[in-house]
Structures are given as C-alpha cells and as structure tokens.
Amino acid sequence: MRMNIHFKNRVACIGAGLTLFRRRLFETPRELAWEAAKQALENAGMELKDIDCVVFGSAPDAFDGIHMQGEYMVDGAGGYKKPFTRVYVGGGTGVFSVIAGWWHVASGLCDKVLVVAEEKMSPALPHPQYVFHHIFDPITDKPLGVNLIWIFALEMHRYMYKYNIKKEDIALVSVKNKRNALDHPAAQLGAKITVEDVLNSEVLVWPVQRLDISPVSDGAGALILTSEEYAKQYTDTPVWIDGVGWNLDTTYWTNRDLAFPKYLYYAGKMAYKMAGIHNPRKEIDVAEVYDPFDYKELHHMEGLQLARKGEAPILTREGVTERDGDLPINPSGGLLGVGNPIAAAGIMKVAEIFWQLRKEAGKRQVAKDPTTGLAQAWGDLMQIGTVVVMRV
Amino acid sequence: MSIDKIRDLKSAKVIPGDMEVGKYVYTLGLAGEKFFNGLKNGKILASTCKKCGITYLPPKAYCEECHGAIDEYSEVGKIGMVYSYTIQYVDGSGKKLDEGVIWALIKYEGVRGGIVHKLGEVDYDQLYIGMLVEPVFKKKAEREGKITDILYFRPIKP
C-alpha cells in the first residue's frame, strides 16, 4: 500500500472519561455524552472553553431512536458554538471518532479536540437486535428475515472449519474477558464463568451461544486530543497517537474471506506503517481488539498480525493473552465484559490503552511494562477495520 | 424507460420493505424527570446555571456554555409571550384539516429557550406576535407527566 501522509502536528491523548455501561441507563443520550465529556475535560485539567472543536460518534440512529443524532447531541457533547462533526461507520465508529479527532489536530486545523461517543441502545423495542434487520440489502437479504447473529454464525463456523478450532478454545475468550471486567468500574457484565458455562448457555444461532456474545448497553465515553505544544502545557504524561488506519472490505459479505478479516489486515498495515511498526507481534505490548463475540477477538488478533492465521486460539489457551501474559488482549474486559454501547465501546478501548500506557489502570494494569498499545473496532456491514496505535 | 417516469408500481418489479423498529421507549433523564413532574403539578420548570447566569427552558442538567452541572430548578413566571405563530391547515400527509391549528413559540422573560405549543381560546384575527399568554393544563387527575398535560396556551385577559 502506498501512503502519502504528511501531517503538521504529532497528536497526544491527555484525558479520558467514561460513564457506567448498563442495559438501560436513566440519563438521556445528551446527558450521557455530557457526563463523559465532563470527566474527560476534568481529567485533562481543561474547561470547555479551552476546546477548539468537537468530534462526535454514534452508530445507527435507530438505536437511540432519534434521526440525525449528530445535531441532537451538540450541546451535551460540548459542541455548541464550536466546529462540530459527527462521524459514523457503524460498530467501527468509536475508534473512527478518535481517528477523526486525530486528523483535526494532525492537520493543524485545531489544537485541542474533544472526542465524544455515545450509544443508547435500550430505547428500541422489542429488542435492539431488531434494528440490524434494516442494514442489509433490501432486495436480496432482507426478505429472508436476515439477522446479524446469523451472519456472524456463518463467519464463526467458517473460521472454525478452516483452522480446525474447537468451541472450547473460543469460549476461553469469554471466560477471560468477563473475568477481566470484574476489575472495571464501568463494567456491566463482569463475571467468573467457566468454559462449561459458555458451552451450556442457550444456543442462539449455532455455533453462537448466549455467552459467546456481548450485551445490549447504554453508555458514553470521551477523550481529549491535543497537539504536542498544548499537550506539554497540560500534562507530563501524554500518550501519543502515532498511527491510525481504517479500511473497508466489500459490502457483499458473500464475497469476503470469512476466515480472515482483510479489512483489518489493511487497516492495521496502514497504522503500523505510520507508527513505524515492522513486527506487530513483538512491538505491540497490549491491545484492545474488538470483541462483540468471543471468536472475533481471535479473528481480529490474526487480522492485526498479532497472531498467525489460526494461531490466536493457541495463544489464548497458553495464557499469552491474559493480563500477566506476553501479549495481554482486552485487559479492560472488552465488549464481552464491560459492555457494548456500540460507539462508546470503541472509545472505552482507546481509553483503556491510554490508562494502561500511563500505568493508571489500577487492578487492570498489565504485568509487563507497556510502551506501545493498540485499540481497534469493527463495523459498517461487518466490513470496516479502525485502528489506532498509541505510545508513551 | 426512465425510472423517474414509473408512477404505476405495477410497471416495475418492486420488493416491499419497511424501516420500522417495533417501538421505542425514551427515558426522560435528569432534567426531563424534573420538568415533566413539574407539568404534572401544573408548573413549568426551568433550570439555571449559577456560574453563567443562564436559565434554560426546557431545563437542562448541564450548561451548554460552561458544561457545568445544573441542579437549580425554578418555576418560570406566569406570563409567557408569543414569539412567533403559524396556522396549520394541512396535515403531514397532505390532508386538509377540518379546523386550523395555531402553533406558537412561547418565550419567558430572562429565559433561554421556550415552549412550542398550541394556542386556544383565540380567533385568528386576534393573533399577534407579542401577545401575552398563559398555559391551560388538563385536570390534575388526567395529567400524565407529558408535554400534552398542557392543553394549549390562551391569551391573558386584561
């Protein structure tokens, strides 16, 4: 891939905020965005008046149940009377909003950016999953009553078949992440469960079972990004965003390699090249990869070249991806444990890498001394990879 | 055959579809709970940011200027003023209404924002911008904590 990226400013992350993640929160979407933004500003030692522009991210409007949600959110997200941009790439939105914040600063357009992502999935009835019915091709797919979980079940099955992966090994991801989430103050589904619990849970769409899948959640997250000049005024411990990448595979999911996420391979390559990373498996110390399903953590590790094809389940079984392992994956507890308010979950992942690299993750702090981390999300019609590489 | 000429849907094969989710439930939130409980009690509540000295209607739980938290709520004055009004003759699907509906944006002195609602007990030729109005609430037992607990606003009789 050829890239011709010149940027003016190195971009730092200097603050993060997160609301609780819960199945149904009392606050309105605007109030959730405000809570997260306020926390991030306080964490950075800033006030709203110090912010040059605001980037906001949320996934399909149909979850919150408010069309054109960008304009609805403006005051809550802190965007009133400021240049305000909403970005949207489905499930990839959380990390993509950080990428959009990055380019505002990297380009020299703004020095201090507030990035906010919010999702309130609970308003949609009878179940938020129903919203996904309307993202498919209305002529070929929708008349079949297609559901998102089906498609993932087809992908999961193909991945298991291609690399001869057992469900027991995939279930280990759910066990690890829900356990990690016990230490996350915002977490919705931290739990001590066993592989047997996963294998005995209700079969939704085989091979996807209840405990293979992340929950429905409400929540919001926010980050403060600044240029190098301002980062040094506000903090002694900035975390640099040294690489960003995003890439879309074909919309025809029938035409994709379901056993290997190429969208992420290319997105990762873009971010690695920008960050000067040649061997991701050796150079990335800790990663938050997108795990709405347990098999997706494995799938995405391979797409990011953090494991060879078919190797991620083996690394998981050997404990390499635990917090005290050589390559901790999802020390936060991930979407499976902390929860999945779609766009906010992506910010949660970037925030976790921010805290891990600043050694502020408390009980979740990984055993090794991490200097380079990665956060990733996945979305649109299961076709986009969004990646940021961060360093101290 | 150009597609924009297809008026009769039988002349092209189409697949029917919808974009409907069953239903939604919206929580009222921090400020909303206060506001709608206020309506139930026959009061219109606004919230005030002490730092910026701004009063918001409908009330906000945070200040849009400084992003500080707001926890001060108080009733707006009894007298509202028509800031602008319109008369609706046709509904959203193009059907002519039996009777026109007067919609107004009503503002209160010293308050940022306002309330959009119907005007009643007034003839079209009596309407004017700047008219002073007051809310007419449903009977207390019939109020549900919704914006429709106010039936309409009517002119204040001198």
Side-chain angles (χ1 to χ4, degrees):
Chain A
M1 177 174 42
R2 280 172 58 83
M3 255 201 303
N4 182 22
I5 293 182
H6 301 284
F7 48 88
K8 199 170 173 207
N9 291 320
R10 195 180 186 198
V11 181
C13 181
I14 65 163
L18 207 60
T19 67
L20 293 178
F21 286 8
R22 290 293 181 268
R23 175 63 177 82
R24 174 169 286 119
L25 285 169
F26 174 74
E27 290 87 345
T28 62
R30 284 195 274 238
E31 288 168 351
L32 289 175
W34 165 69
E35 283 180 20
K38 187 165 174 285
Q39 277 185 38
L41 286 165
E42 282 169 9
N43 185 227
M46 282 181 160
E47 291 181 43
L48 187 60
K49 66 177 167 53
D50 302 320
I51 293 294
D52 298 330
C53 67
V54 176
V55 174
F56 172 74
S58 71
D61 290 350
F63 284 120
D64 287 66
I66 300 155
H67 273 308
M68 305 203 304
Q69 211 198 335
E71 48 81 14
Y72 164 83
M73 295 300 293
V74 170
D75 61 343
Y80 174 60
K81 289 196 290 191
K82 295 185 192 292
F84 178 88
T85 307
R86 184 217 183 162
V87 294
Y88 166 74
V89 288
T93 300
V95 174
F96 193 71
S97 63
V98 179
I99 293 173
W102 175 90
W103 76 51
H104 278 75
V105 177
S107 64
L109 186 67
C110 302
D111 281 310
K112 292 163 287 179
V113 179
L114 169 61
V115 179
V116 185
E118 180 277 341
E119 211 74 52
K120 191 157 182 175
M121 298 176 77
S122 63
L125 299 178
H127 190 280
Q129 188 60 232
Y130 202 83
V131 169
F132 289 119
H133 183 58
H134 306 293
I135 66 175
F136 293 96
D137 187 296
I139 296 165
T140 58
D141 296 345
K142 231 169 117 169
L144 297 170
V146 66
N147 173 300
L148 205 63
I149 306 178
W150 279 30
I151 308 300
F152 297 139
L154 290 168
E155 188 178 71
M156 180 171 174
H157 192 194
R158 186 71 198 174
Y159 176 60
M160 290 168 67
Y161 167 80
K162 179 99 179 255
Y163 301 113
N164 193 23
I165 298 166
K166 293 190 181 65
K167 272 217 68 178
E168 286 84 333
D169 285 338
I170 293 175
L172 283 169
V173 172
S174 192
V175 173
K176 168 178 70 76
N177 290 3
K178 286 180 191 295
R179 189 179 58 232
N180 283 350
L182 285 169
D183 297 325
H184 199 301
Q188 178 180 352
L189 276 188
K192 259 193 173 157
I193 58 165
T194 63
V195 168
E196 286 67 38
D197 291 334
V198 180
L199 299 181
N200 293 332
S201 63
E202 182 188 3
V203 178
L204 300 176
V205 185
W206 189 88
V208 176
Q209 293 176 259
R210 175 75 62 188
L211 291 177
D212 290 315
I213 195 170
S214 56
V216 169
S217 313
D218 293 351
L223 299 170
I224 308 291
L225 307 185
T226 71
S227 59
E228 187 165 9
E229 184 193 344
Y230 282 92
K232 286 176 176 166
Q233 289 182 21
Y234 285 96
T235 180
D236 295 328
T237 50
V239 174
W240 305 102
I241 299 179
D242 276 350
V244 301
W246 69 102
N247 199 288
L248 267 86
D249 202 339
T250 170
T251 300
Y252 302 95
W253 55 272
T254 48
N255 302 14
R256 281 182 225 150
D257 178 354
L258 295 184
F260 183 74
K262 281 194 185 143
Y263 54 86
L264 187 53
Y265 175 73
Y266 293 122
K269 262 179 76 159
M270 177 178 169
Y272 293 146
K273 183 169 181 186
M274 202 184 295
I277 286 176
H278 304 288
N279 184 342
R281 172 69 182 84
K282 286 217 158 60
E283 293 176 63
I284 300 291
D285 297 314
V286 55
E288 282 281 330
V289 307
Y290 207 62
D291 62 325
F293 293 74
D294 44 12
Y295 82 95
K296 280 312 278 191
E297 173 171 313
L298 307 171
H299 213 230
H300 284 153
M301 283 171 65
E302 293 170 17
L304 284 164
Q305 303 176 67
L306 298 175
R308 289 191 297 276
K309 289 180 182 178
E311 191 197 21
I314 300 166
L315 297 181
T316 304
R317 199 166 58 217
E318 290 172 349
V320 173
T321 62
E322 297 281 349
R323 278 194 202 132
D324 59 359
D326 184 50
L327 179 59
I329 302 288
N330 293 333
S332 67
L335 278 49
L336 288 162
V338 185
N340 188 9
I342 306 178
I347 290 259
M348 182 276 285
K349 287 190 165 292
V350 180
E352 181 69 12
I353 296 302
F354 172 72
W355 288 318
Q356 288 287 347
L357 296 181
R358 297 231 292 195
K359 317 276 194 307
E360 290 174 357
K363 282 165 87 179
R364 303 190 309 284
Q365 189 65 47
V366 299
K368 67 194 291 191
D369 179 19
T371 58
T372 306
L374 176 150
Q376 174 250 324
W378 165 59
D380 278 342
L381 204 70
M382 301 85 74
Q383 76 204 106
I384 192 173
T386 51
V387 178
V388 296
V389 173
M390 301 168 85
R391 279 204 185 95
V392 281
Chain B
M1 184 175 65
S2 154
I3 202 77
D4 64 349
K5 296 283 169 56
I6 296 176
R7 300 269 199 269
D8 176 8
L9 287 181
K10 284 178 192 139
S11 66
K13 189 157 173 50
V14 295
I15 301 274
D18 67 72
M19 282 275 286
E20 296 299 319
V21 172
K23 272 181 184 165
Y24 285 95
V25 286
Y26 302 97
T27 59
L28 305 177
L30 301 170
E33 286 262 342
K34 294 227 163 58
F35 180 65
F36 289 103
N37 271 327
L39 291 185
K40 227 173 161 174
N41 294 318
K43 290 176 181 173
I44 297 176
L45 294 182
S47 70
T48 302
C49 172
K50 281 188 223 159
K51 187 178 164 199
C52 301
I54 299 167
T55 296
Y56 293 102
L57 178 67
K60 291 179 194 278
Y62 50 84
C63 176
E64 65 185 11
E65 297 283 347
C66 73
H67 238 214
I70 296 180
D71 48 22
E72 192 170 291
Y73 291 81
S74 56
E75 206 175 345
V76 297
K78 296 288 173 202
I79 302 170
M81 191 197 76
V82 173
Y83 180 83
S84 186
Y85 68 88
T86 184
I87 304 167
Q88 179 187 5
Y89 293 102
V90 182
D91 76 6
S93 61
K95 215 184 99 207
K96 199 153 183 72
L97 296 172
D98 296 338
E99 216 176 309
V101 182
I102 310 164
W103 294 105
L105 170 54
I106 293 141
K107 296 220 174 219
Y108 289 86
E109 199 168 349
V111 172
R112 182 180 289 191
I115 290 189
V116 175
H117 221 293
K118 288 179 201 172
L119 294 185
E121 299 182 35
V122 60
D123 295 330
Y124 294 170
D125 59 5
Q126 294 172 334
L127 289 167
Y128 61 95
I129 286 176
M131 173 188 272
L132 302 183
V133 292
E134 63 185 4
V136 178
F137 284 90
K138 283 182 180 168
K139 283 185 207 131
K140 188 151 190 190
E142 291 168 16
R143 291 180 207 149
E144 302 171 279
K146 291 182 178 170
I147 193 70
T148 45
D149 285 355
I150 300 174
L151 291 167
Y152 52 84
F153 284 72
R154 68 178 173 204
I156 292 175
K157 305 267 179 338

